[in-house]
């Protein structure tokens, strides 16, 4: 694990920061009463994506510990390439579903915003969009969050991606 940073924070700290992002976006937009109603499903979708990402992070942490324990008992058997592709496919399908839910909620909300609010929202969306963002300029965002040779499908999906071909770090 990396010292400091997002991955070393407790889940509670990450949740607090994610809640702050949502509150900051809402405050910066200065929504009217009609927009508040349309914001609610967007906010719910963003929260659900944060929760799903946190659950994946916990799952990967558990798998990482299991791999470390297995290594002490000798070489471990990795899933074969077909199994890893299947896992990648499942993860992409989950992300696509979350993004579709978000997009469905976001479209009417975005249509209700003034041009000024849209200008305010654009830089905030990288922080709030489920399925991409938080990349910190680490390369192309192919398939909503990574390119060939990128660690996992999104840096926030976890420190390593056991289902990706090419190794524990998901290098294709």
């Amino acid at each position: 694990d990396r010292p400091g940073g997002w991955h070393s924070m407790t889940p509670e700290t990450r949740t607090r920061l994610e809640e702050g992002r949502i509150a900051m976006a809402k405050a910066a937009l200065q929504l009217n009463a009609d927009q508040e109603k349309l914001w609610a499903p967007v906010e719910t979708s963003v929260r659900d994506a944060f929760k799903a990402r946190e659950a994946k992070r916990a799952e990967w942490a558990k798998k990482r510990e299991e791999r470390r324990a297995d290594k002490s008992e000798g070489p471990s058997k990795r899933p074969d390439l077909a199994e890893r592709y299947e896992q990648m496919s499942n993860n992409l399908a989950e992300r696509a579903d979350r993004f579709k839910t978000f997009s469905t909620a976001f479209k009417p909300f975005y249509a209700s915003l003034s041009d000024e609010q849209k200008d305010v929202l654009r830089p905030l969306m990288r922080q709030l969009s489920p399925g991409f963002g938080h990349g910190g300029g680490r390369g192309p965002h192919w398939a909503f969050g990574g390119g060939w040779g990128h660690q996992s499908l999104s840096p926030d999906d976890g420190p390593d991606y056991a289902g990706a071909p090419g190794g524990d770090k998901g290098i294709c």
Side-chain angles (χ1 to χ4, degrees):
D1 289 68
R2 295 174 244 181
W6 194 258
H7 294 288
S8 65
M9 292 179 192
T10 66
E12 295 78 20
T13 301
R14 284 190 298 266
T15 298
R16 205 168 64 236
L17 289 173
E18 290 162 349
E19 291 293 325
R21 288 178 180 162
I22 293 169
M24 178 191 64
K26 189 174 178 181
L29 289 170
Q30 300 177 343
L31 303 174
N32 65 36
D34 291 333
Q35 292 169 331
E36 288 268 355
K37 292 175 190 167
L38 295 170
W39 168 258
V42 172
E43 184 175 337
T44 298
S45 178
V46 169
R47 288 179 196 281
D48 290 347
F50 285 152
K51 288 176 189 171
R53 196 165 47 231
E54 194 62 41
K56 282 285 188 190
R57 185 176 279 117
E59 179 184 329
W60 277 312
K62 180 180 175 191
K63 286 180 182 179
R64 185 176 54 247
E65 291 305 316
E66 289 170 359
R67 284 192 309 270
R68 286 179 181 163
D70 288 346
K71 283 181 182 178
S72 67
E73 298 170 9
S76 61
K77 170 84 171 90
R78 292 189 42 192
D80 67 24
L81 187 59
E83 291 169 335
R84 292 182 291 177
Y85 277 136
E86 179 69 22
Q87 185 61 48
M88 286 176 65
S89 174
N90 292 339
N91 288 342
L92 280 170
E94 289 172 15
R95 292 179 70 166
D97 289 344
R98 280 195 311 270
F99 202 79
K100 179 65 176 167
T101 299
F102 172 80
S103 178
T104 300
F106 184 75
K107 189 173 184 175
F109 170 72
Y110 188 74
S112 76
L113 298 177
S114 70
D115 288 342
E116 180 199 8
Q117 287 172 311
K118 288 177 182 179
D119 288 342
V120 169
L121 182 62
R122 277 185 197 98
L124 299 174
M125 286 314 300
R126 184 168 171 83
Q127 298 293 320
L128 296 177
S129 297
F132 65 89
H134 311 293
R138 296 203 306 211
H141 289 276
W142 174 81
F144 298 123
W148 291 109
H150 225 270
Q151 175 183 337
S152 83
L153 295 174
S154 170
D156 286 327
D157 280 343
D160 35 351
Y161 184 89
D168 289 2
K169 294 295 182 193
I171 304 302
C172 297

